[in-house]
Amino acid sequence: KNQVEQSPQSLIILEGKNCTLQCNYTVSPFSNLRWYKQDTGRGPVSLTIMTFSENTKSNGRYTATLDADTKQSSLHITASQLSDSASYICVVSAKSGAAGNKLTFGGGTRVLVKP
Amino acid sequence: GAGVSQTPSNKVTEKGKYVELRCDPISGHTALYWYRQSLGQGPEFLIYFQGTGAADDSGLPNDRFFAVRPEGSVSTLKIQRTERGDSAVYLCASSFNTDGEQYFGPGTRLTVT
């Protein structure tokens, strides 16, 4: 069964500090991996997307890494801001042919940035 | 519209009632997905449409759940004989084509009392 596991479940950091979120997956056949940011009461918004051949991707203060051999990914947030408070969801896409790009979602890491 | 929209934003219904949730995808997007998100968890796949047809409905939990997309644009998720366990946020996403990035709507929060 395809699974995506994230850690930690939640964390609290002080404004201006850095943090790293982890994602392990067992999705096959692998197509790509995305990190989404989900604000409370909103739908997820894509931050980064990486395919098998990419091992790092940045989007502003967000940097994602991918190790396709160990099936691990991380999302690093640099110089956190209060607006970074949200859930961060790791999403792995499996190639499913005519059935589309089926996504398997992790449970998310809830980040709270405090002043 | 500029993004995926969903209505209503909130729906409270009594156990046993029938509900319909609507999704308006981004104009021109051929693929449409429905997900269900329970509190504190990531979304779970329900059903995927390519055009008017349901290409994959393997995520629907049982036959009380049904979805349609008659004209290949707007989709309606229908839940019969609602149960308290159906309470969740129902998310809709659309993408330009089968392999395209999915853009999510804000979701409909369903509460079954």
Side-chain angles (χ1 to χ4, degrees):
Chain A
K1 180 182 178 183
N2 290 339
Q3 288 187 312
V4 177
E5 296 183 353
Q6 293 186 240
S7 62
Q9 284 191 326
S10 62
L11 78 150
I12 300 173
I13 58 174
L14 293 177
E15 186 178 13
K17 298 297 185 182
N18 304 335
C19 67
T20 301
L21 317 179
Q22 301 292 340
C23 172
N24 297 329
Y25 63 92
T26 57
V27 175
S28 180
F30 178 84
S31 177
N32 57 63
L33 183 146
R34 294 178 171 91
W35 282 93
Y36 281 85
K37 179 185 180 185
Q38 186 174 24
D39 293 308
T40 301
R42 309 289 292 272
V45 175
S46 180
L47 294 175
T48 63
I49 177 172
M50 289 180 291
T51 58
F52 185 86
S53 60
E54 297 174 295
N55 54 25
T56 187
K57 183 72 70 76
S58 291
N59 178 1
R61 293 179 298 100
Y62 301 103
T63 299
T65 66
L66 172 65
D67 186 334
D69 292 330
T70 62
K71 299 186 177 181
Q72 296 179 323
S73 176
S74 67
L75 179 69
H76 187 75
I77 305 176
T78 303
S80 60
Q81 300 177 359
L82 297 179
S83 59
D84 292 333
S85 296
S87 286
Y88 292 84
I89 305 175
C90 176
V91 184
V92 183
S93 175
K95 294 179 182 177
S96 53
N101 233 359
K102 186 180 291 187
L103 305 183
T104 302
F105 290 75
T109 294
R110 282 167 290 287
V111 174
L112 175 61
V113 180
K114 288 192 170 182
Chain B
V4 179
S5 61
Q6 294 185 242
T7 55
S9 56
N10 282 282
K11 175 71 177 177
V12 180
T13 189
E14 293 180 348
K15 179 176 178 295
K17 299 292 187 182
Y18 167 83
V19 296
E20 289 189 352
L21 312 179
R22 177 188 169 106
C23 172
D24 281 84
I26 294 172
S27 178
H29 280 194
T30 62
L32 185 147
Y33 301 77
W34 282 100
Y35 298 89
R36 180 168 69 175
Q37 186 174 25
S38 299
L39 188 63
Q41 299 183 22
E44 292 181 320
F45 170 79
L46 294 177
I47 186 171
Y48 154 69
F49 287 89
Q50 179 57 43
T52 61
D56 184 350
D57 64 358
S58 61
L60 295 178
N62 51 60
D63 61 6
R64 295 187 297 106
F65 289 74
F66 188 72
V68 296
R69 194 186 186 199
E71 298 179 355
S73 178
V74 171
S75 176
T76 305
L77 178 66
K78 307 180 181 190
I79 309 174
Q80 299 177 319
R81 304 183 304 279
T82 52
E83 300 177 356
R84 293 193 179 88
D86 298 336
S87 296
V89 174
Y90 289 82
L91 292 167
C92 175
S94 71
S95 63
F96 181 72
N97 54 30
T98 297
D99 296 325
E101 179 172 351
Q102 296 182 27
Y103 295 86
F104 285 82
T108 293
R109 180 175 297 279
L110 175 67
T111 303
V112 182
T113 60

